[in-house]
Structure formats: C-alpha cells, structure tokens
Amino acid sequence: GVLTAGTNDMYLPLEFRDENNELVGFDIDLGQALADELGVEMKWVPTAWDGIFNGLNANQYDIVLSGTSITEERLTGFNMTDPYLANGIVIVSRKDATPAKTPKDLAGKTVGVQIETTADYAAEALKNQENVDYTVNKYDAMLDAFAALEGKQIDNIMTDISVAQFYTTLKSDVYAVSSDVLSNEPIGITVRKTDTAFNEQLNAALDALRENGKLTELSMKWFGQDVTQNIDTDLKVIE
C-alpha cells in the first residue's frame, strides 16, 4: 500500500526543499501522481546521490525517482522505465564571461559538476575525447555548483539541460546556457533488476499519466514547456 522512493532532495527543479523545508519539484509531483494512479501512498526517502543506487539494492526503497538519466551502464545493473523527460548535458557560463560554446572552449578553465552524475562522467571523458585540459570541481549538490559559478570560484558548469534552464531562468542576468545539448540521455525511474513486473506496472502508470495530460501539466508547471512527449530514446551518453 506504499510506494517508497529514494531521491536526492537538492536537484532543482526536480526535487528540492522550499522555504518551508517541504519537498517539492517535478519528480515529487510525479511521484504523487504515480501513487494516485497505482492506488497507494507515496513515501520519500531523501538520500545522497552517490549512495542512492546502493540504497535501492539494499531494499531501503522501491524505486529511485531522482532525475536519473537512462544509460546503457545503468541498464546492465537495474531496470529503468520508459523515459518520462527529455534530457541532455549542456555547458553553463556566466553572463559576464566569454561563453563556452564547445568543450574545446573549456581549456584552462574550472568546470563544476555534481558528483557521480552523468555530467561528472562526461566532464572527465571529454578531456580525453576532445584533447582539452580543464579542472573538474565536484559538488554534492548543483545548488553549491551554481553558487560557486555566481561567486566566480569556478568558470563553467556541466549539468542536465532541465537543471540549467531552471537556474538560468531564475537568474538570467547571471547565468546562460552557452552550448548546444552535448548528449541524449532521457530520464526514467530506476527499479531493481529483479523487479521486472513492477517495472511494467510503472510503465503502464506513466503511459496513463501521459495520455491523460498529467505529465504535460507537470512539465508546463516546472519547465514552462512540454518535455514529456515524443522523447528521443536513442541514447547518446558521453563516457
């Protein structure tokens, strides 16, 4: 009777704490909509990102619902639902600095990422793939990375486009998305490898929310556009 989800509650605008310390965000609303569709209660387990998949395997919760990119590597160890959000990695620059339009433009710069995310892996991989040298600073939360960028402690950020657009909309005079989307890694819900039937239940619930317009409603609320329809499922992950 309860759907329990692990989430990293510092990943705006998907899951974060508001001024009243209440858990809010796109994924939080989606989790409640899923629970309603399944006829169960929703319970959240805030978890540090770098331990979130271990917590799933240790049966601390039923799913990971936390802005999780679908990658081939994750699919080898877990089940993941069909994607519910389009997503890819972008570079963010400060408005008062020369924008980094490509990874080559990061030469000699400092790039902030959230630790153990696909942006973290991409930032490290691109140094070799593009033959460019820059320093990667790793943060526990994107909130800290954007604060460091605003405070000129780092030069750029790599992160998911949904996160980047949220922050650049919030402070359009400070930040700008300066690159094209560098990857294609849509977001899905993560389930233990053995829970195949449960994964199909979640897919059916997501299909229902897509068809009845709930996903579109939530996307417009949090992103100002619909990024839940016609999602490109051809994975292009930088690793």
Side-chain angles (χ1 to χ4, degrees), residues 105-189:
D105 295 333
L106 299 173
K109 302 297 179 76
T110 305
V111 181
V113 298
Q114 183 168 333
I115 192 168
E116 296 295 326
T117 60
T118 53
D120 179 3
Y121 306 147
E124 295 289 1
L126 284 168
K127 289 195 287 186
N128 293 324
Q129 293 177 17
E130 300 288 334
N131 192 27
V132 59
D133 186 36
Y134 51 82
T135 301
V136 181
N137 280 20
K138 308 190 183 199
Y139 297 88
D140 289 329
M142 286 312 305
L143 189 66
D144 299 328
F146 275 93
L149 181 60
E150 184 174 9
K152 302 185 179 181
Q153 298 163 352
I154 58 176
D155 301 302
N156 298 95
I157 280 174
M158 278 192 197
T159 189
D160 291 341
I161 188 170
S162 57
V163 176
Q165 288 175 335
F166 178 82
Y167 278 95
T168 55
T169 300
L170 198 65
K171 293 191 174 183
S172 58
D173 58 329
V174 178
Y175 315 116
V177 175
S178 54
S179 74
D180 291 333
V181 182
L182 304 176
S183 64
N184 185 57
E185 43 190 70
I187 290 172
I189 301 168

Side-chain angles (χ1 to χ4, degrees), residues 92-105:
V92 179
S93 302
R94 280 196 315 275
K95 280 286 190 73
D96 63 356
T98 303
K101 297 181 180 180
T102 71
K104 290 281 190 185
D105 295 333

Side-chain angles (χ1 to χ4, degrees), residues 69-70 87-89 118-119 160 183-187 235-238:
S69 297
I70 300 171
N87 183 55
I89 292 168
T118 53
D160 291 341
S183 64
N184 185 57
E185 43 190 70
I187 290 172
L235 300 182
K236 179 189 172 186
V237 180
I238 303 168

Side-chain angles (χ1 to χ4, degrees), residues 8-219:
N8 174 238
D9 59 354
M10 296 184 289
Y11 205 59
L12 294 78
L14 285 94
E15 40 272 326
F16 62 102
R17 301 281 177 173
D18 66 10
E19 62 274 11
N20 299 315
N21 203 38
E22 295 293 328
L23 199 53
V24 296
F26 177 90
D27 280 343
I28 307 307
D29 286 351
L30 173 60
Q32 187 58 57
L34 280 170
D36 292 343
E37 185 67 29
L38 295 168
V40 297
E41 294 181 22
M42 190 69 212
K43 179 181 177 183
W44 296 97
V45 182
T47 306
W49 177 255
D50 57 1
I52 204 163
F53 297 110
N54 289 336
L56 180 61
N57 277 333
N59 297 311
Q60 294 174 10
Y61 27 81
D62 305 312
I63 62 174
V64 171
L65 182 48
S66 192
T68 308
S69 297
I70 300 171
T71 69
E72 293 291 349
E73 182 178 357
R74 286 172 180 162
L75 289 170
T76 63
F78 300 92
N79 277 309
M80 295 194 74
T81 64
D82 297 333
Y84 61 84
L85 276 183
N87 183 55
I89 292 168
V90 294
I91 301 170
V92 179
S93 302
R94 280 196 315 275
K95 280 286 190 73
D96 63 356
T98 303
K101 297 181 180 180
T102 71
K104 290 281 190 185
D105 295 333
L106 299 173
K109 302 297 179 76
T110 305
V111 181
V113 298
Q114 183 168 333
I115 192 168
E116 296 295 326
T117 60
T118 53
D120 179 3
Y121 306 147
E124 295 289 1
L126 284 168
K127 289 195 287 186
N128 293 324
Q129 293 177 17
E130 300 288 334
N131 192 27
V132 59
D133 186 36
Y134 51 82
T135 301
V136 181
N137 280 20
K138 308 190 183 199
Y139 297 88
D140 289 329
M142 286 312 305
L143 189 66
D144 299 328
F146 275 93
L149 181 60
E150 184 174 9
K152 302 185 179 181
Q153 298 163 352
I154 58 176
D155 301 302
N156 298 95
I157 280 174
M158 278 192 197
T159 189
D160 291 341
I161 188 170
S162 57
V163 176
Q165 288 175 335
F166 178 82
Y167 278 95
T168 55
T169 300
L170 198 65
K171 293 191 174 183
S172 58
D173 58 329
V174 178
Y175 315 116
V177 175
S178 54
S179 74
D180 291 333
V181 182
L182 304 176
S183 64
N184 185 57
E185 43 190 70
I187 290 172
I189 301 168
T190 313
V191 178
R192 285 181 289 273
K193 195 69 174 179
T194 53
D195 291 344
T196 306
F198 178 43
N199 197 55
E200 291 308 310
Q201 277 186 291
L202 292 172
N203 273 330
L206 284 171
D207 285 344
L209 296 176
R210 190 174 289 108
E211 290 169 8
N212 68 20
K214 187 63 176 181
L215 281 181
T216 297
E217 175 191 326
L218 296 181
S219 184

